[in-house]
Amino acid sequence: CEVRPGPEFLTRSYLFYANRLFKAYQFYYWDPSCRDPSYSLVIKGKLRLRQASWITRGATEADYHLHKVGIVFHSQKAMREVASWINQTSGEGCSGFLPPGRTWAPGALYELLSTKSERDCTAALGFAMHELSLVRVEQHYQPLLQPQQSGSRLVEELYLGDIHTEWLERLHYRPTGYQRPMQSAVHHVHPCPACGIIYRADEHHPPILPATAQLPMRLSGSWVSTHCELRPAVLFLTRYFIFHGNNHTWEGYYYHYSDPLCKQPTFTIYASGHYTQGIPSSKVRGGTELAFKVTQARVTPMDQVTVMMLNSSEPGSCGLTSSWSAGVEQDITPTNGCLALGIKLPHTEYELFKTEHDTNDRSLLYIGERPTDGSSPDSPSKRPTSYQAPLIQCAGAPEEFSNYVSLKHLGRKDSNGNEALKPLPVALLLFIALLCLRWD
């Protein structure tokens, strides 16, 4: 069950055909467990892959064209709410989309967008498919979990462009980062109870995901990234956090890289401070609101480009003037942070956290998504309403994640010892286009 900024709760199921046509389902819900459907969108169009992205390394740029978007309501409440959005915010062509008092008709499909009739009433929903303009397929091998089995199975994941954290920006934002990956219906992570449910769903029968237990927020311990993460504005990094529950202090390591495999380090930031007692979020059900105070920080440049940048920064704005060298850590607390890296000290961030267990009973920690514009959630009004990729608790990390916990590099190798993560070749894209690519 995805959480998008807003918040919006949804699941997705996308099918790509060999003739470049696609059919996509987006199922929206009232709740963060995706058990109470609100409405479903069925989206049809055409996708044309272009070239390797000049901005986001490892991604492929694409053009898409929408032919039709239809909506099916799953309750009178959903129909009334969406109709009011459209009637209030749309132009003349959509003002009478649904007359007031119209009775909900189960299974009825209403046309939001059609190229034939030149009608487009999707803006009121904050709907756009710009996520299709940035595409990446990753392959890796998952070890078989059964004791009597050996070897591994292929896993294919589809990364699509990120959604802007500001509602008004998402209609024209062109992504530079990714959402959490969708799973291939043929080669997906196991176990995956949601995969089959979402695969079999359609706009008239939205997926109802299995009930999950609500976990109390237990931050204590160490948490680490499960893969090389990409943030908007092309920042590749891994994260490692240690939370001390007895005195509410925390430490964090942010390892930055110049490549999508996280093999070429640029600089590392160590930060520490304390955090408040969490309270349940009033905006995002299932989330916990906390405030984090950053009081100390240290920086280690890892390449000559970063060293030159820090040494040429304004005197007194980032550690000792012209004293930086590769691999040597320096405290930036006395200069109240580092202007060149956008770090200010002391600093408070208003955060959203969530913990849950995955299908292998491993503990996951979700931390609020960073603002797309690169700013900081430094006021309660900027508190996130969606999440970044989850961190996994180190104590429960299997062997698969042993190299991740070391935080040296996160490149996975396939069974032949070759790097499995590469810029998207055309042959692979044509092959993937024949598969059903589904959201987990």
Side-chain angles (χ1 to χ4, degrees), residues 44-154:
K44 296 180 180 180
K46 196 165 190 174
L47 181 71
R48 183 174 68 91
L49 300 169
R50 293 171 56 205
Q51 71 276 332
S53 173
W54 289 92
I55 300 174
T56 306
R57 290 178 60 188
T60 297
E61 293 179 357
D63 292 327
Y64 73 92
H65 181 68
L66 297 182
H67 298 158
K68 284 185 177 181
V69 178
I71 186 169
V72 174
F73 302 104
H74 302 303
S75 67
Q76 181 73 39
K77 176 187 174 185
M79 183 178 185
R80 187 168 57 245
E81 187 169 288
V82 172
S84 68
W85 295 343
I86 294 174
N87 291 338
Q88 288 173 17
T89 61
S90 298
E92 290 184 11
C94 301
S95 57
F97 173 72
L98 285 173
R102 179 82 170 264
T103 303
W104 169 55
L109 179 69
Y110 301 92
E111 197 172 75
L112 286 171
L113 178 148
S114 171
T115 52
K116 287 186 178 180
S117 63
E118 297 184 349
R119 185 185 204 186
D120 186 357
C121 305
T122 59
L125 300 178
F127 170 83
M129 288 297 287
H130 298 328
E131 61 192 89
L132 293 177
S133 63
L134 197 68
V135 182
R136 180 188 187 110
V137 172
E138 290 191 13
Q139 292 183 326
H140 62 90
Y141 287 85
Q142 179 188 19
L144 298 175
L145 300 176
Q146 289 76 7
Q148 68 273 18
Q149 292 181 313
S150 61
S152 58
R153 64 166 60 88
L154 175 66

Side-chain angles (χ1 to χ4, degrees), residues 332-344:
I332 57 171
T333 309
T335 53
N336 297 320
C338 180
L339 190 61
L341 297 176
I343 303 171
K344 297 179 181 178

Side-chain angles (χ1 to χ4, degrees), residues 7-46:
E8 288 180 332
F9 309 112
L10 76 156
T11 57
R12 295 178 293 156
S13 172
Y14 292 3
L15 173 60
F16 297 93
Y17 299 95
N19 61 358
R20 297 181 180 175
L21 295 177
F22 70 86
K23 183 179 183 180
Y25 292 113
Q26 294 184 354
F27 307 100
Y28 290 81
Y29 302 81
W30 299 107
D31 67 301
S33 299
C34 290
R35 293 182 54 78
D36 185 10
S38 170
Y39 63 87
S40 298
L41 299 180
V42 55
I43 305 138
K44 296 180 180 180
K46 196 165 190 174

Side-chain angles (χ1 to χ4, degrees), residues 334-404:
T335 53
N336 297 320
C338 180
L339 190 61
L341 297 176
I343 303 171
K344 297 179 181 178
L345 295 174
H347 179 67
T348 300
E349 296 194 345
Y350 296 85
E351 271 294 359
L352 179 73
F353 275 47
K354 177 180 72 169
T355 54
E356 63 180 40
H357 286 153
D358 67 8
T359 51
N360 292 316
D361 207 34
R362 298 173 299 197
S363 296
L364 302 178
L365 173 64
Y366 292 82
I367 300 178
E369 188 173 0
R370 309 300 296 178
T372 305
D373 63 8
S375 64
S376 171
D378 53 8
S379 66
S381 63
K382 295 183 70 175
R383 191 187 300 272
T385 55
S386 57
Y387 302 99
Q388 299 177 60
L391 305 172
I392 192 167
Q393 193 160 34
C394 294
E399 287 185 17
E400 179 186 358
F401 293 105
S402 60
N403 63 320
Y404 298 169

Side-chain angles (χ1 to χ4, degrees), residues 92-351:
E92 290 184 11
C94 301
S95 57
F97 173 72
L98 285 173
R102 179 82 170 264
T103 303
W104 169 55
L109 179 69
Y110 301 92
E111 197 172 75
L112 286 171
L113 178 148
S114 171
T115 52
K116 287 186 178 180
S117 63
E118 297 184 349
R119 185 185 204 186
D120 186 357
C121 305
T122 59
L125 300 178
F127 170 83
M129 288 297 287
H130 298 328
E131 61 192 89
L132 293 177
S133 63
L134 197 68
V135 182
R136 180 188 187 110
V137 172
E138 290 191 13
Q139 292 183 326
H140 62 90
Y141 287 85
Q142 179 188 19
L144 298 175
L145 300 176
Q146 289 76 7
Q148 68 273 18
Q149 292 181 313
S150 61
S152 58
R153 64 166 60 88
L154 175 66
V155 173
E156 289 182 321
E157 297 176 317
L158 173 66
Y159 286 80
L160 297 177
D162 62 306
I163 308 298
H164 203 287
T165 52
E166 291 293 327
W167 180 276
L168 296 177
E169 297 292 329
R170 55 201 283 183
L171 295 182
H172 54 80
Y173 169 68
R174 292 294 169 172
T176 55
Y178 303 119
Q179 300 174 67
R180 288 187 64 194
M182 302 174 78
Q183 303 288 318
S184 164
V186 180
H187 303 292
H188 56 77
V189 171
H190 287 264
C192 181
C195 288
I197 297 172
I198 299 173
Y199 176 84
R200 291 185 292 270
D202 60 34
E203 67 269 33
H204 304 294
H205 307 91
I208 309 298
L209 298 191
T212 54
Q214 188 74 36
L215 295 180
M217 176 60 64
R218 293 198 181 101
L219 277 183
S220 294
S222 301
W223 305 81
V224 67
S225 297
T226 62
H227 63 280
C228 187
E229 300 174 1
L230 171 63
R231 287 184 182 170
V234 198
L235 291 174
F236 302 105
L237 77 158
T238 59
R239 298 171 291 152
Y240 174 48
F241 289 102
I242 307 167
F243 297 98
H244 306 281
N246 57 335
N247 59 4
H248 279 213
T249 59
W250 68 278
E251 302 169 79
Y253 296 83
Y254 304 82
Y255 296 81
H256 291 257
Y257 303 83
S258 62
D259 69 298
L261 282 171
C262 286
K263 280 182 166 293
Q264 300 165 18
T266 53
F267 63 93
T268 298
I269 299 172
Y270 167 83
S272 63
H274 55 270
Y275 60 95
T276 62
Q277 184 75 36
I279 60 171
S281 171
S282 57
K283 268 193 170 183
V284 186
R285 275 192 288 161
T288 299
E289 295 181 352
L290 303 99
F292 277 76
K293 189 76 172 277
V294 188
T295 55
Q296 292 182 308
R298 302 194 295 265
V299 171
T300 308
M302 302 297 290
D303 66 352
Q304 287 303 319
V305 173
T306 307
V307 169
M308 290 173 62
M309 179 189 71
L310 295 178
N311 280 331
S312 62
S313 60
E314 185 180 338
S317 68
C318 187
L320 297 174
T321 305
S322 301
S323 63
W324 295 93
S325 58
V328 179
E329 184 180 70
Q330 188 173 152
D331 191 352
I332 57 171
T333 309
T335 53
N336 297 320
C338 180
L339 190 61
L341 297 176
I343 303 171
K344 297 179 181 178
L345 295 174
H347 179 67
T348 300
E349 296 194 345
Y350 296 85
E351 271 294 359

